């Protein structure tokens, strides 16, 4: 009984010690890139010695002189390196990578047996990390994998996903990566959405006071903030020759772009030796605009990237860390195209010409984008340490699985910006129904015109047929249609895509949902707005309003309409009837307007009002003058009135003066209400009214508004271009 009691006490003591035992964590780092992600975790573990024992294992390119002997920065960070494994077989080709994995697998068992970690922390998608995960999994050592679930577009994906299947726990960076891990059958309870550990460091040290000293120490005393480029291009091991070609084109474009450039040597993957030869053949190391380096400490690299005018290459840093600073990035080739990115990244997937890379530099260099925190909020390390504490070492290693579905990601490509992005524009006029394919730069690639049917069903059927024909033609015209924009008369709810009340020119066209039927047939996003608002949007994107923050567009055609741009935004109003400029009243006892009121601008100055006055004068035999060529059967139009005034008809001239005055007074009212810096007259009567309206403003406006310019639109198709601009501005992530 005594022996049994002693055995029970011993067992209790062992259980108590087991409960109090510190978690033995081994962090394995293979190169300069993964150390930037692992170091914050290592510092966090080191600060809590009562809970964790830290072991550091170094292998891979850390220990190679040609790649900077970067293990020294680990020692400088005051970490004790428990094991250094020389695992790289030189050659920088496919066979050398395979041999390196094999050499690591030969050496790792002895080290892992000696260290006996509870958890092995590995990062990313390197072939060295695959060797680590393989060895640890076979030796029943628990594995925590960082940054699994991401998609980058090369052999790295296969390696990363292979490590995911070997790992027992996962700390991922983004919600989409978490969904990918679940879709890959990983147990949700063993997945932590932590964010990227490097963000903890870079977000806290982004705003250093000595950043200019760091920039100048690497690039020279004369370089200025945002006036230099950081270049970092790695080989793509699945297509080495193509990646070497892209590297050469990038260097040629950088030489031509003529900006100071900090270029880092590529990593140790197959093809890197050939890329270095290309660099040296082009004399990059001796070129006055370039500084070629093998390694930069992470804290300094952060400053260099965050204050650069642009970053170019295919490093994951460009699509991940650079987004936290809003630094413009050009991603060349396919190496990172599957990753989630902020607005700052422009992909050049098919970088087949120097000119395309150069054009991308022109688009991106010197810009600034909103800072993105897709990959982290600066609190990844506390989450990971808390996750480590919850790991139950008595829990079985065997995994369980599930099978959810994940949507594909969509990315931006420079080819779409330069060549193929376009919109389908629809103009629902009183007389004609028009559809056009409009390019990003405002060129009408192809236009279709048909008489606008009077009946609702006929009109909808014709519109859908014309749109279907246009989308089919767009394929052969090399146009990628991003969406459909519709310009129509009357009051429109653009949020719902519904025409609330139309003009009398378009019959049976009230409470009509245009968005749903078009979207259902074409499977494209649809935007709908009033034709006056569309004219303003056209001027903003393609006309006189480009770059103007506040302006008013007035359409002078069959009716009077327009749109107001205030602080770069279109003004719709609470019930979507803002900018009903034709129905500003300029007289209490004026002529009857089509809206039911009296004295509106439209009742004086519209084409219909002028036509009405022309008919009145003609009926009273006071319109025709010497020199006018009027046929008896010819319908009387506003053009006859204008022609008669030009030939000296005093009564016709008086009508035009009254119309010009009414329009001018109405525009003066607008100047006093919204205070634009520019007035743009559009429509067939614009040139007739421009000078008189400018004169009335100079006479009747307040002193602060007297000098506001009135210009006539130079756009041939404002309704179509405005409809297209809704698509081109809203369907793309950014505009150029």
């Amino acid at each position: 009984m005594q022996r049994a009691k002693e055995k029970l006490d011993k067992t209790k003591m062992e259980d108590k010690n087991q409960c109090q035992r510190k978690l033995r964590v081994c962090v394995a780092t293979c190169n300069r890139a993964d150390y930037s992600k692992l170091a914050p975790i290592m510092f966090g573990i080191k600060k809590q010695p009562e809970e964790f024992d830290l072991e550091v294992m170094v292998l891979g390119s850390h220990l190679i002189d040609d790649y900077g002997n970067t293990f020294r920065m680990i020692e400088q960070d005051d970490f004790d390196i428990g094991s250094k494994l020389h695992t790289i077989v030189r050659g920088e080709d496919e066979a050398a990578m395979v041999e390196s994995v094999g050499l690591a697998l030969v050496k790792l068992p002895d080290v892992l047996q000696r260290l006996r970690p509870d958890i092995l922390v590995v990062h990313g998608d390197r072939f060295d990390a695959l060797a680590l995960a393989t060895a640890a999994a076979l030796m029943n050592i628990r594995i925590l994998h960082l940054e699994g679930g991401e998609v980058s577009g090369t052999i790295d994906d296969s390696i990363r996903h292979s490590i995911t299947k070997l790992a027992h726990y996962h700390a991922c960076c983004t919600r989409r990566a978490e969904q990918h891990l679940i879709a890959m059958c990983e147990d949700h309870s063993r997945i932590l959405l932590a964010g990227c550990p490097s963000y903890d460091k870079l977000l806290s040290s982004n705003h250093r006071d000595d950043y200019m000293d760091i920039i100048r120490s690497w690039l020279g005393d004369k370089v200025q903030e945002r006036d230099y480029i950081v270049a970092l291009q790695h080989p793509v091991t699945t297509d080495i020759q193509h990646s070497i070609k892209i590297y050469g084109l990038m260097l040629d474009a950088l030489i031509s772009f003529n900006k100071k450039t900090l270029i880092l040597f590529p990593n140790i993957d197959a093809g890197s030796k050939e890329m270095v030869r290309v660099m040296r053949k082009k004399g990059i190391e001796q070129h006055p605009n370039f500084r070629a380096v093998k390694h930069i400490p992470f804290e300094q690299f952060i400053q260099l990237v965050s204050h650069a005018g642009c970053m170019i290459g295919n490093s994951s840093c460009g699509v991940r860390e650079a987004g936290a600073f809003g630094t413009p990035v050009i991603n060349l080739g396919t190496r990172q195209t599957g990753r989630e990115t902020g607005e700052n990244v422009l992909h050049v997937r098919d970088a087949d010409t120097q000119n395309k890379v150069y054009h991308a530099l022109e688009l991106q260099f010197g810009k600034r984008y909103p800072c993105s925190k897709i990959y982290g909020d600066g609190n990844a390390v506390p989450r990971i340490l808390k996750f480590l504490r919850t790991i139950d070492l008595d829990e079985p290693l065997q995994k369980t699985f599930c099978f959810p579905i994940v949507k594909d990601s969509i990315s931006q490509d420079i080819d779409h910006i330069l060549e193929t992005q376009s919109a389908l524009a629809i103009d629902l006029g009183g007389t004609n129904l028009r559809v056009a394919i409009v390019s990003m730069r405002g060129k009408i690639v192809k236009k279709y015109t048909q008489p606008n049917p009077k009946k609702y069903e006929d009109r909808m059927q014709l519109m859908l047929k014309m749109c279907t024909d246009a989308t089919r033609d767009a394929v052969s015209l090399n146009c990628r249609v991003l969406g459909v924009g519709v310009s129509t008369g009357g009051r429109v709810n653009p949020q719902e895509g519904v025409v609330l009340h139309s003009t009398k020119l378009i019959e049976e066209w009230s409470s009509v949902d245009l968005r749903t039927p078009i979207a259902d047939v074409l499977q494209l996003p649809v935007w709908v707005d009033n034709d006056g608002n569309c004219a303003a949007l056209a001027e903003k994107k393609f006309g006189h309003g480009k770059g103007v923050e506040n302006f008013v567009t007035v359409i002078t055609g069959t009716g009077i309409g327009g749109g107001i741009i205030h602080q770069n935004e279109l003004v719709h109003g609470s019930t979507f009837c803002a900018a009903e400029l034709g129905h500003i009243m300029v007289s209490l006892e004026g002529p009857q307007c089509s809206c039911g009121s009296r004295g509106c601008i439209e009742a004086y100055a519209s084409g219909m009002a002028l036509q009405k006055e022309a008919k009145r004068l003609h009926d009273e035999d006071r319109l025709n003058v010497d020199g006018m060529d009027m046929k008896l059967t010819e319908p009387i139009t506003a053009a006859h009135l204008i022609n008669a005034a030009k030939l000296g008809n005093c009564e016709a001239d008086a009508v035009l003066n009254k119309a010009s005055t009414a329009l001018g007074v109405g525009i003066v009212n607008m100047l006093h209400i919204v205070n634009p810096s520019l007035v743009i007259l559009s429509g067939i009567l614009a040139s007739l009214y421009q000078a008189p309206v400018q004169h009335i403003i100079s006479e009747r406006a307040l002193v602060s508004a007297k000098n506001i310019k009135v210009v006539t639109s130079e756009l041939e198709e404002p309704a179509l271009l405005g409809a297209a601009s809704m698509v081109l501005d809203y369907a793309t992530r950014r505009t150029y």
Side-chain angles (χ1 to χ4, degrees), residues 399-663:
K399 293 174 158 186
T400 55
F401 304 96
C402 56
F403 301 89
I405 299 171
V406 179
K407 293 181 179 180
D408 292 332
S409 62
I410 300 172
S411 194
Q412 182 90 336
D413 191 288
I414 193 170
D415 284 331
H416 295 155
I417 295 171
L418 297 180
E419 299 173 312
T420 61
Q421 287 187 339
S422 59
L424 205 62
I426 302 172
D427 176 28
L428 281 158
T431 305
N432 290 320
L433 172 58
R434 301 185 302 157
V435 174
I437 303 168
V438 182
S439 74
M440 178 65 78
R441 297 181 181 179
K443 177 185 176 184
I444 296 180
V445 180
K446 189 170 183 179
K447 184 167 65 175
Y448 312 76
T449 303
Q450 293 285 345
N452 200 351
K454 298 298 182 185
K455 296 295 182 182
Y456 165 81
E457 292 83 5
D458 296 338
R459 188 178 299 133
M460 288 297 298
Q461 186 176 358
L462 177 61
M463 180 175 62
L464 293 174
K465 180 183 182 304
M466 292 172 71
C467 289
T468 304
D469 292 343
T471 52
R472 184 180 60 247
D473 293 345
V475 176
S476 60
L477 293 168
N478 195 31
C479 292
R480 185 170 68 97
V481 176
L482 300 174
V484 183
V486 184
S487 169
T488 181
R491 188 162 67 96
V492 176
N493 180 344
Q495 297 170 3
E496 303 294 334
V498 174
V499 181
L500 300 174
H501 303 291
S502 189
T503 64
K504 292 183 178 180
L505 297 174
I506 307 177
E507 298 172 8
E508 297 185 28
W509 207 245
S510 295
S511 300
V512 174
D513 179 2
L514 288 178
R515 177 176 293 163
T516 301
I518 298 173
D520 287 347
V521 170
L522 301 182
Q523 294 297 300
L524 288 169
V526 179
W527 288 267
V528 185
D529 213 332
N530 167 270
D531 52 8
N533 289 336
C534 285
L537 290 174
E539 293 294 339
K540 180 176 182 290
K541 189 168 184 66
F542 303 113
H544 290 300
K546 194 171 184 179
V548 180
E549 191 172 332
N550 300 284
F551 69 90
V552 172
T553 297
V554 181
I555 302 176
T556 57
T558 307
I560 300 290
I564 299 171
I565 300 292
H566 180 65
Q567 295 183 350
N568 288 318
E569 295 293 334
L570 188 63
V571 177
H572 283 105
S574 60
T575 57
F576 313 107
C577 66
E580 284 289 355
L581 309 181
H583 300 293
I584 294 175
M585 287 191 291
V586 293
S587 171
L588 296 177
E589 302 296 331
Q592 184 83 30
C593 181
S594 61
C595 70
S597 185
R598 286 186 173 276
C600 298
I601 296 174
E602 189 166 290
Y604 286 103
S606 67
M608 290 183 67
L610 297 183
Q611 182 184 33
K612 183 178 178 181
E613 287 298 303
K615 286 181 177 179
R616 179 181 64 81
L617 291 176
H618 180 263
D619 292 342
E620 294 171 3
D621 201 22
R622 291 187 291 165
L623 179 65
N624 204 357
V625 293
D626 292 339
M628 282 188 67
D629 182 18
M630 289 183 59
K631 298 176 182 177
L632 293 175
T633 58
E634 185 178 11
I636 303 301
T637 65
H640 292 104
L641 183 77
I642 295 167
N643 191 29
K646 287 180 180 178
L647 293 172
N649 186 318
C650 295
E651 294 187 72
D653 190 57
V655 171
L656 293 182
N657 284 336
K658 184 182 286 188
S660 300
T661 302
L663 180 61

Side-chain angles (χ1 to χ4, degrees), residues 145-301:
H145 182 211
L146 303 181
E147 298 188 6
E150 297 182 18
V151 179
S152 56
T154 67
I155 190 63
D156 294 351
D157 284 344
S158 299
I159 295 174
R160 187 187 308 108
H161 301 334
S162 298
I163 297 172
T164 291
K165 303 319 298 174
L166 293 167
H168 306 91
Y169 306 94
H170 313 275
C172 59
C173 296
T174 70
R175 182 70 63 186
R176 185 177 295 172
E178 179 187 40
Q179 292 174 341
H180 288 164
L181 289 172
I182 295 170
M184 291 163 64
C185 316
E186 297 304 308
D187 184 349
H188 198 178
S189 67
R190 293 189 174 192
I191 301 170
L192 170 69
L193 177 56
C196 182
S198 66
Y199 270 52
D200 290 23
K201 199 166 188 177
L202 65 88
L203 290 176
S204 63
S205 59
N206 181 23
H207 302 291
R208 279 176 53 167
D209 294 334
D210 62 344
Y211 70 89
M212 282 307 302
D213 294 334
I214 294 171
I215 292 170
R216 286 167 180 163
S217 70
W218 289 98
L219 286 157
D221 293 337
K222 295 182 180 179
V223 73
Q224 298 297 316
E225 180 182 5
R226 298 185 186 177
D227 197 36
Y228 63 90
I229 297 169
V230 175
L232 179 52
Q233 180 87 357
H234 299 305
V236 177
T237 55
T238 50
D239 194 351
I240 293 172
Q241 291 306 313
H242 185 61
S243 64
I244 294 168
K245 176 186 174 183
I246 291 177
Y247 190 62
L249 294 172
M250 178 191 77
L251 295 178
D252 289 338
L254 287 170
I255 291 169
S256 299
F257 200 66
N258 197 30
K259 289 288 181 182
K260 277 286 186 180
T261 301
L262 180 70
I263 185 165
L264 280 81
F265 278 66
N267 65 21
I268 201 169
D269 284 351
S272 61
K273 188 184 294 183
E274 289 84 352
M275 291 173 72
V276 173
R277 286 198 193 103
V278 171
M279 181 196 295
R280 287 174 174 158
K281 186 176 180 181
K282 294 181 182 293
I284 296 300
E285 290 171 292
Q286 291 77 41
H287 196 288
N289 273 354
F290 287 83
R291 173 81 188 279
V293 297
K294 294 178 180 178
H295 167 67
I296 300 173
F298 184 66
E299 295 83 355
Q300 297 183 38
F301 189 61

